Amino acid sequence: SDCVSEASSPMTNLPVPKSPFDGIIRYYNDYGFTYVGIYREGFKTSSRKATDVFKAREWVGVSSDNLVPHVLALISVFITLGSGCFGLVVEEFDGYSFTNFQKPTSTAFFIGCWIGFVISRILFKLVGSAVNTVLVCFSLAPWTFKVNHPVLSHEMRSSWGGTWLDEHEWLHNLENGEAAQNYIPR
C-alpha cells in the first residue's frame, strides 16, 4: 500500500516498490527551472507541477529519459579531448609555452582539456535546457503550438507521434474539439 506504487512491472505484473527518492524527484527536477521561467512560481511548486503534467500526459518515461544529457556529455568528452590535443599541437609546433613547469606537454594538454570542458559544458547545458523547455511547453499546450505554428507542429507530431505522442486519448479528444483546460493538471 504505502510501500508499493500503483504501477506494475511489465515483466511480472507485480507491484513495483516505491523508492524513497520518489518524493524528492517530484519536488526537485530540471523541469522545475523551465516552469519557474514560464510561470514565475517557486521552484518546489514548479517542479511538482511539471511532474504532474508529465504524469497526466503519460510522458513520465520521456521526461525521465536521460538520452539527451548522456549524448551531450559524450560529445563534451570528445570536445574536451580534442581541445587537449589542440593544446599539445600549439605547445609543440607553434612554440607557444603555456607554463614554465617541468612537463610542458602534459600541462598544455590539461589546460586545453580544461578550457574545452568548461566551454562545452556551458554550451551543452544551454542545449539541454532548450530540450527541457520544448518538452515542458509542448506538454503544457500542444494545441497552442498547433494553432500558432501548424507546419512545425505537424513536423514534431509526425517525428514523435509514433513513439508516444498521438497514441494518447487526451490528444485525440483535444483534436476532436474538447476544451483544452480539461487537460492541464492543477
Side-chain angles (χ1 to χ4, degrees):
S1 57
D2 278 347
C3 298
V4 177
S5 69
E6 295 173 10
S8 62
S9 171
M11 300 294 275
T12 61
N13 276 341
L14 296 175
V16 178
K18 280 188 177 179
S19 167
F21 298 109
D22 286 344
I24 294 171
I25 291 170
R26 183 172 184 215
Y27 291 112
Y28 301 100
N29 58 54
D30 285 343
Y31 299 105
F33 290 117
T34 302
Y35 216 97
V36 166
I38 295 171
Y39 294 107
R40 307 237 187 254
E41 294 181 4
F43 179 72
K44 190 174 177 180
T45 304
S46 295
S47 294
R48 181 186 51 78
K49 285 185 176 182
T51 303
D52 290 345
V53 166
F54 288 130
K55 282 182 182 178
R57 302 282 191 258
E58 298 176 3
W59 292 3
V60 175
V62 173
S63 67
S64 63
D65 183 21
N66 287 326
L67 178 65
V68 172
H70 288 328
V71 168
L72 294 177
L74 184 65
I75 294 170
S76 181
V77 167
F78 289 133
I79 290 173
T80 298
L81 294 175
S83 298
C85 292
F86 182 72
L88 278 174
V89 168
V90 169
E91 174 77 33
E92 289 294 318
F93 298 113
D94 195 25
Y96 181 78
S97 179
F98 286 101
T99 65
N100 292 330
F101 291 135
Q102 301 295 344
K103 298 181 181 182
T105 54
S106 61
T107 304
F109 180 76
F110 287 122
I111 289 173
C113 282
W114 181 253
I115 290 170
F117 175 76
V118 169
I119 290 174
S120 66
R121 291 308 294 167
I122 290 170
L123 292 176
F124 287 148
K125 187 62 179 173
L126 289 172
V127 172
S129 296
V131 170
N132 289 347
T133 302
V134 166
L135 281 174
V136 168
C137 290
F138 195 66
S139 68
L140 287 171
W143 52 89
T144 305
F145 185 57
K146 188 174 184 177
V147 168
N148 292 326
H149 304 282
V151 174
L152 293 174
S153 175
H154 176 70
E155 195 175 308
M156 182 179 271
R157 287 170 196 278
S158 64
S159 8
W160 288 3
T163 306
W164 48 270
L165 181 63
D166 289 330
E167 298 172 357
H168 298 289
E169 182 181 330
W170 66 269
L171 189 59
H172 290 297
N173 292 340
L174 183 65
E175 289 174 349
N176 292 333
E178 284 190 27
Q181 289 77 17
N182 296 337
Y183 297 100
I184 298 176
R186 302 284 177 209

